[in-house]
């Protein structure tokens, strides 16, 4: 099928689009740069002319300042001011006026602002208030130059007679200079005040314009009224500033904008004139004509557009010729490729060009030859793949059968388990529910499988597990054990998370064991042993007393008889101690053991415990090192029971340590608890025995000494006592050799409210 647009058309359109985009970008960037340059030049001219106009307005005031500083610092002037020599001071002021003839008034005031001398002969001795200027000069003891709007009445009082006939409503825009007269000790003697009325200098902008040229218009306003301007008289208005311009100037900000003056366009900058109190009293504006700048920009744009048009036409002609030359061999390649697509692998392209097109033709011919060879290989490999596919299908069938057998075995194992097993998937929905779990939950599988585990837990009373299930879902790994009582049954629930091949959470396995019968048997055993112990304790106590009496008072005994009685006495003590341990654990479990809680020192308790076990340790050549310091805070507990815990832990450490080793007892504060640790150098307890450490009637065999005698209640009693103190007891194995038993006791203030 003939394409709608050939490669030549696409190449021409692409080149034309590139040219248009390039020239458009060039024109846009050039115009942007030119506009920014013109804008910068206009702003620079405005700033230059505004600075020049400001300097021209303030130059005379600076001349007045430095002219008045000389008499203001003269001692002769100071003496005549103290004598209030009006005639002499008036002559001195007139001498200054001859040097500065443009001053409209020149007044000398004393410290109370009363007129001492002026250019006017009959000036009365009265107070003269020039708003702001005189007060700032006297208080600040510095020269103050300011442009003020003064009333006609004030000007008349200062000696400007032409304002005396204009009434009290007239005003004038006056450049005012106030120079304080200071004595040598810094005391204020008075103030010299001079002023020049700008309303009488309407040609001032024309003077400035002679320097800047006719493209610049300069205007001075008193508030919003023109008082001086370089504009032609036909364009001068009585009011020149708009309200929005006045708002900007009253905030003390410079206004910038465009304005049409007559038929010409101007860029305008208006600078506010503020009086000594920071109030807006007038403005100085400079306007620069933009006709010349716009004309330059227009001419540059015309030149750029003409150059772009010529460049585009020339580039398009060259592109047409180049595309025609380049696309001919490409069309031949396209025709050959279509025949190859139909299966003609004997197709070849003739290419004699010594360029990229010739290289393309050569590569095309090589590609056709390679395709021909690969087609033969593909046909040959296809038959091999079919055979391999058949073998793979046979292997899949065999593996499927093996997996089915494994699944059958697993199902048989789960079915025969005495413990209930429940498995959930990634969404915590039940996917497995074995017969033991059915008996425990008293529910059939079709009511459980596929349901969320949260819903199943609520149905069977396993609601305490919901929080743990949420933790597993969020954490994604781990295992824990929980004890629950459901429908009168005591259950041990083991939770373990499942993970996929990437280690992500994939479900939870619940293993549920009914230990109700075991606990009942354990309770019966404990009650039986407690009863027997109570019955044995009384006769054993009598036997102990009798043996002790015989040993202390029977002097006629032979050595053999005394040795036999001593063995009987020692075994009786051992039996009484074992029975005491049994009664202690029974009392703790039944709540009959009374604890007397009070503030105690761990340091003192460890000293007492070490003293009790010292003789036993010396008999086995064991050294006990006590590192507990006196800096630890007081704890809240029963001192006798805590000593019992320490003595038991020390006794076990000495009992299971090889001879000649060291047993260390230490303590440190962790948060609101004191942690007490007893460490030995014996063989590390095996993993299989660690779960039985704190259970009743459990004995741990020592490889060095075999099975050590005892009731197996020592650590169980310690656990019960520590838990009654709101602490915990735990075991830690050393990396190489040694065991550490630790327990926590709350410091004073942590359990007071609980007791």
């Amino acid at each position: 099928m003939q394409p709608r647009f050939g490669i030549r058309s696409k190449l021409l359109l692409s080149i034309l689009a590139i040219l248009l985009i390039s020239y458009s970008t060039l024109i846009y960037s050039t115009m942007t740069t030119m506009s920014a340059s013109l804008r910068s030049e206009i702003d620079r001219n405005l700033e230059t002319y505004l600075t020049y106009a400001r300097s021209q307005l303030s130059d005379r005031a600076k001349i007045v300042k430095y002219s008045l500083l000389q008499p203001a610092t003269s001692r002769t002037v100071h003496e005549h001011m103290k004598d209030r020599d009006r005639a002499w001071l008036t002559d001195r002021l007139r001498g200054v006026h001859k040097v500065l003839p443009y001053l409209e008034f020149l007044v000398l005031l004393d410290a109370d602002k009363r007129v001492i001398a002026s250019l006017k002969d009959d000036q009365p001795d009265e107070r003269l208030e020039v708003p702001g200027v005189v007060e700032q000069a006297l208080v600040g003891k510095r020269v103050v130059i300011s442009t003020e709007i003064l009333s006609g009445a004030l000007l008349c009082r200062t000696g400007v007679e032409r304002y005396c006939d204009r009434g009290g409503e007239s005003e004038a825009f006056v450049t005012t200079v106030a120079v304080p007269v200071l004595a040598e000790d810094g005391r204020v003697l008075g103030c010299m005040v001079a002023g020049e009325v700008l309303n009488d200098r309407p040609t001032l902008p024309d003077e400035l314009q002679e320097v800047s040229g006719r493209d610049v218009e300069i205007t001075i306003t008193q508030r919003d009224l023109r008082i001086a301007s370089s504009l032609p008289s036909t364009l001068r208005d009585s009011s020149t500033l708009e309200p929005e311009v006045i708002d900007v100037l009253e905030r003390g900000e410079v206004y910038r904008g465009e304005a049409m003056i007559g038929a010409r366009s101007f860029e305008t900058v208006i600078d506010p004139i503020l009086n000594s109190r920071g109030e807006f009293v007038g403005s100085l504006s400079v306007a620069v004509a933009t006709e010349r700048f716009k004309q330059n920009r227009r001419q540059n744009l015309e030149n750029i557009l003409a150059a772009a048009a010529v460049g585009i036409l020339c580039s398009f002609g060259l592109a047409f010729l180049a595309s025609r030359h380049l696309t001919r061999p490409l069309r031949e390649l396209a025709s050959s490729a279509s025949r190859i697509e139909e299966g003609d692998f004997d197709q070849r392209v003739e290419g004699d060009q010594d360029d990229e097109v010739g290289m393309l033709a050569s590569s095309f011919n090589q590609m056709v030859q390679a395709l021909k060879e690969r087609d033969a290989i593909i046909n040959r490999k296809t038959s091999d793949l079919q055979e391999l596919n058949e073998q793979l299908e046979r292997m899949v069938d065999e593996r499927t059968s093996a997996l089915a057998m494994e699944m059958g075995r697993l199902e048989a194992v789960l079915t025969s388990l005495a413990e209930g097993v429940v498995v959930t998937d990634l969404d915590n929905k039940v996917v497995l529910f074995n017969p033991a779990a059915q008996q425990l939950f008293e529910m059939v599988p079709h009511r459980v499988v596929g349901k969320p585990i949260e819903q199943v837990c609520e149905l069977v009373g396993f609601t305490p597990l919901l929080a743990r299930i949420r933790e597993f879902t969020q954490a994604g790994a781990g295992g824990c054990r929980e004890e629950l009582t459901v429908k009168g049954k005591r259950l041990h629930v083991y939770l373990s998370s499942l993970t996929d091949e990437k280690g992500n959470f994939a479900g939870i396995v619940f293993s549920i064991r009914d230990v109700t019968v075991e606990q009942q048997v354990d309770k019966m055993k404990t009650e039986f042993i407690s009863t027997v112990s109570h019955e044995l304790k009384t006769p054993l106590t009598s036997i102990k007393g009798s043996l002790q009496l015989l040993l202390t008072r029977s002097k006629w005994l032979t050595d053999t008889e005394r040795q036999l009685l001593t063995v009987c006495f020692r075994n009786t003590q051992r039996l009484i101690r074992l029975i005491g341990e049994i009664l202690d654990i029974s009392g703790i479990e039944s709540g009959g053991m009374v604890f007397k809680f009070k503030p105690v020192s761990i340091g003192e308790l460890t000293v007492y415990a070490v003293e009790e076990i010292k003789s036993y340790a010396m008999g086995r050549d064991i050294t006990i090192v006590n590192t507990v310091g006196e800096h630890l805070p007081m704890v809240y507990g029963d001192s006798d029971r805590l000593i019992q815990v320490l003595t038991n832990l020390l006794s076990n450490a000495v009992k299971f340590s090889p001879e000649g080793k060291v047993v260390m007892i230490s303590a440190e504060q962790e948060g609101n608890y004191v942690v007490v640790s007893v460490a030995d150098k014996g063989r590390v307890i095996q993993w299989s025995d660690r779960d039985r450490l704190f259970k009743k009637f459990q004995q741990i065999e020592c490889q060095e000494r075999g099975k050590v005698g005892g009731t197996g209640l020592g650590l169980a009693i310690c656990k019960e006592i520590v838990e009654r103190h709101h602490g915990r007891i735990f075991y830690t194995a050393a990396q190489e050799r040694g065991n550490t038993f630790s327990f926590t006791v709350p410091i004073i203030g942590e359990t007071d409210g609980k007791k």
Side-chain angles (χ1 to χ4, degrees):
M1 182 178 65
Q2 185 69 21
R4 184 176 180 183
F5 291 101
I7 188 171
R8 183 169 62 184
S9 301
K10 293 180 180 179
L11 182 60
L12 286 174
L13 292 175
S14 300
I15 294 175
L16 183 59
I18 292 173
L19 290 173
L20 290 175
I21 293 173
S22 301
Y23 278 102
S24 299
T25 304
L26 177 62
I27 293 172
Y28 175 77
S29 60
T30 303
M31 292 305 300
T32 302
T33 304
M34 188 164 35
S35 299
S37 177
L38 293 176
R39 178 76 261 175
S40 177
E41 185 176 356
I42 291 173
D43 292 342
R44 188 167 54 252
N45 289 343
L46 284 173
E47 187 65 28
T48 301
Y49 294 139
L50 181 61
T51 303
Y52 176 70
R54 288 179 187 150
S55 65
Q56 292 300 312
L57 281 179
S58 61
D59 281 350
R60 286 193 179 186
K62 293 179 180 179
I63 294 173
V64 173
K65 167 186 172 182
Y66 293 112
S67 299
L68 295 181
L69 281 175
Q70 194 277 331
T73 57
S74 174
R75 289 186 179 182
T76 305
V77 173
H78 296 174
E79 295 297 332
H80 286 282
M81 286 184 66
K82 293 177 181 178
D83 298 337
R84 303 189 73 83
D85 189 350
R86 184 184 299 274
W88 188 90
L89 295 172
T90 300
D91 290 340
R92 186 62 184 269
L93 293 181
R94 288 174 179 173
V96 174
H97 186 257
K98 289 179 181 180
V99 179
L100 307 171
Y102 51 81
L103 291 178
E104 300 290 341
F105 64 87
L106 181 57
V107 181
L108 178 61
L109 306 176
D110 61 9
D112 295 329
K113 303 179 186 178
R114 294 186 177 275
V115 178
I116 300 176
S118 67
L119 299 177
K120 188 177 179 181
D121 292 334
D122 57 346
Q123 183 74 27
D125 187 8
E126 61 179 352
R127 289 178 61 86
L128 185 65
E129 293 287 347
V130 180
V133 179
V134 175
E135 186 67 27
Q136 291 182 17
L138 294 176
V139 174
K141 297 180 182 182
R142 59 184 177 85
V143 179
V144 178
I145 300 176
S146 176
T147 304
E148 305 281 346
I149 296 179
L150 303 181
S151 63
L154 180 61
L155 292 173
C156 178
R157 291 168 57 193
T158 58
V160 186
E161 296 180 353
R162 64 179 179 277
Y163 282 91
C164 295
D165 300 331
R166 298 185 183 181
E169 300 298 327
S170 62
E171 291 181 334
F173 205 46
V174 183
T175 299
T176 308
V177 180
V179 180
V181 180
L182 304 176
E184 292 182 356
D185 57 356
R187 182 168 48 87
V188 178
L189 300 178
C191 181
M192 300 180 72
V193 185
E196 178 186 6
V197 181
L198 298 179
N199 303 66
D200 299 331
R201 295 181 63 191
T203 60
L204 176 59
D206 294 329
E207 299 171 6
L208 301 177
Q209 195 182 50
E210 291 178 0
V211 178
S212 56
R214 300 306 303 174
D215 287 339
V216 179
E217 300 292 347
I218 301 174
T219 301
I220 301 174
T221 66
Q222 175 182 330
R223 292 193 178 94
D224 61 342
L225 299 177
R226 280 196 180 99
I227 61 173
S229 177
S230 61
L231 293 173
S233 60
T234 56
L235 299 178
R236 298 183 183 181
D237 300 327
S238 59
S239 178
T240 61
L241 300 181
E242 299 296 332
E244 59 270 16
V245 179
I246 294 295
D247 292 340
V248 175
L249 298 178
E250 285 181 346
R251 295 196 300 268
E253 301 175 1
V254 177
Y255 175 82
R256 294 178 182 271
E258 296 183 359
M260 293 296 296
I261 302 177
R264 303 179 68 188
S265 176
F266 286 81
E267 284 285 340
T268 305
V269 58
I270 305 176
D271 188 29
I273 299 176
L274 307 178
N275 61 13
S276 59
R277 297 180 298 279
E279 300 171 348
F280 171 73
V281 295
S283 67
L284 173 64
S285 65
V286 176
V288 177
T290 59
E291 296 174 354
R292 177 171 57 85
F293 301 103
K294 293 181 179 179
Q295 183 178 3
N296 292 339
R297 182 171 60 183
R298 186 167 53 253
Q299 291 177 353
N300 291 334
L301 179 60
E302 292 174 355
N303 295 335
I304 292 172
L305 292 176
V310 173
I312 290 175
L313 290 175
C314 295
S315 301
F316 184 76
L318 293 174
F320 178 79
L321 296 176
S323 63
R324 185 175 181 181
H325 175 72
L326 291 174
T327 55
R328 180 179 57 81
L330 295 177
R331 288 198 299 271
E332 295 178 0
L333 283 172
S335 177
S336 300
S338 63
R339 288 194 291 272
I340 291 173
E341 183 181 3
E342 296 172 357
D344 184 7
F345 291 106
D346 295 327
Q347 188 64 227
R348 297 294 183 271
V349 176
E350 299 296 334
D352 55 355
Q353 297 90 342
D354 190 13
D355 55 7
E356 288 81 358
V357 177
M359 296 173 62
L360 178 61
S362 177
S363 299
F364 181 83
N365 294 332
Q366 295 176 7
M367 178 193 70
V368 173
Q369 182 63 30
L371 286 175
K372 186 176 181 180
E373 295 175 356
R374 290 178 182 177
D375 183 63
I377 295 173
I378 289 173
N379 292 331
R380 198 165 55 248
K381 294 293 184 182
T382 301
S383 60
D384 296 339
L385 287 175
Q386 290 177 352
E387 183 179 354
L388 290 174
N389 188 32
E390 294 175 358
Q391 295 178 2
L392 181 61
E393 288 179 354
R394 288 195 299 270
M395 293 176 64
V396 170
D397 292 339
E398 294 174 358
R399 186 59 179 166
T400 302
S401 301
L403 288 175
M405 185 180 297
E406 291 294 334
M407 289 294 294
R409 293 173 182 173
L410 179 60
E411 184 176 357
V413 170
L414 292 175
T415 303
S416 61
L417 280 177
E419 296 183 355
V421 178
V422 181
V423 182
T424 66
D425 60 7
L426 179 62
D427 298 324
N428 277 344
K429 292 183 178 179
V430 177
V431 295
L432 183 72
F433 199 69
N434 74 338
Q438 298 175 28
Q439 295 179 0
L440 289 174
F441 290 160
E442 298 179 358
M443 298 183 71
V444 293
H446 72 271
R447 295 189 59 190
V448 178
V449 176
K451 300 294 182 63
I453 189 63
E454 293 84 358
Q455 181 178 350
V456 175
C457 289
E458 292 178 356
L459 289 175
V460 300
F462 277 41
T463 52
L465 287 179
L466 294 178
R468 184 67 70 180
I469 293 173
R470 296 189 187 99
E471 293 178 4
F472 267 62
T473 304
Q474 296 174 359
C480 69
R481 171 185 170 182
E482 297 288 341
E483 294 185 3
L484 299 176
T485 301
V486 179
K487 298 179 181 179
K489 298 179 180 179
R490 189 65 177 175
L491 304 178
H492 285 180
V493 183
Y494 299 87
L495 290 83
S496 179
S497 61
L498 295 175
T499 56
D500 55 16
E501 64 275 5
K502 296 182 180 179
N504 299 324
F505 175 78
I508 303 175
V509 177
F510 297 81
S511 176
I512 307 166
R513 181 184 176 193
D514 188 353
V515 296
T516 306
V517 176
E518 294 179 9
Q519 290 190 349
Q520 290 176 352
V521 172
D522 187 54
K523 182 178 179 181
M524 292 172 61
K525 179 174 64 175
T526 302
E527 291 176 352
F528 172 75
I529 293 174
S530 177
T531 303
V532 172
S533 300
H534 273 289
E535 296 298 328
L536 291 176
K537 186 174 182 181
T538 301
L540 284 174
T541 304
S542 300
I543 293 172
K544 175 185 175 182
S546 301
L547 291 172
Q548 190 173 8
L549 181 62
L550 289 173
L551 288 172
T552 55
R553 296 187 179 182
S554 300
K555 299 180 181 180
W556 59 88
L557 294 175
T558 64
D559 292 340
T560 302
E561 292 173 341
R562 185 175 297 277
Q563 185 178 2
L564 291 175
L565 288 174
T566 302
V567 172
C568 292
F569 179 75
R570 185 166 59 250
N571 288 329
T572 303
Q573 284 184 316
R574 179 172 173 272
L575 287 173
I576 292 174
R577 184 171 66 254
L578 295 178
I579 292 172
E581 290 180 354
I582 295 173
L583 293 177
D584 283 345
I585 193 68
S586 300
I588 293 174
E589 290 180 347
S590 62
M593 180 177 289
V594 179
F595 286 79
K596 298 179 181 180
F597 290 93
K598 63 180 180 178
V600 295
S601 171
I602 286 293
E604 295 180 1
L605 298 182
T606 55
V607 172
Y608 294 150
V610 171
E611 287 296 327
E612 287 189 18
I613 208 69
K614 181 185 296 184
S615 59
Y616 178 51
M618 292 175 64
R620 298 204 66 245
D621 193 19
I622 301 295
T623 302
I624 300 178
V625 178
N626 184 5
T627 63
V628 179
E630 298 295 333
H631 64 283
L632 295 173
M634 302 287 284
V635 299
Y636 193 73
D638 188 326
S639 59
D640 293 336
R641 296 304 173 185
L642 291 178
I643 291 175
Q644 183 179 355
V645 173
L646 288 169
T647 304
N648 196 300
L649 294 180
L650 288 172
S651 175
N652 286 344
V654 172
K655 183 188 301 180
F656 292 99
S657 292
E659 295 184 359
K661 297 296 182 178
V662 175
V663 173
M664 181 173 291
I665 180 171
S666 59
E668 60 181 1
Q669 182 179 357
E670 290 185 3
N672 298 324
Y673 291 85
V674 173
V675 182
V676 184
S677 301
V678 177
D680 59 47
K681 294 298 181 180
R683 185 178 295 275
V684 176
I685 299 174
Q686 299 298 321
W687 279 100
S688 57
D689 295 331
R690 293 180 187 178
D691 291 338
R692 301 187 291 118
L693 283 175
F694 300 101
K695 293 182 179 180
K696 294 179 293 183
F697 307 109
Q698 298 295 328
Q699 296 261 336
I700 307 299
E701 292 187 1
C702 179
Q703 294 185 5
E704 289 88 350
R705 304 182 58 196
K707 186 172 182 180
V708 182
T711 61
L713 293 174
L715 290 178
I717 294 173
C718 293
K719 179 176 180 294
E720 295 292 339
I721 293 175
V722 171
E723 289 179 351
R724 287 291 297 272
H725 283 77
H726 302 285
R728 66 187 185 94
I729 187 169
F730 52 93
Y731 165 78
T732 306
Q735 294 183 353
E736 297 181 356
R737 185 180 181 89
N739 306 281
T740 301
F741 286 86
S742 305
F743 67 93
T744 63
V745 185
I747 63 175
I748 290 179
E750 296 302 320
T751 59
D752 291 350
K754 300 178 183 179
K755 297 296 179 182

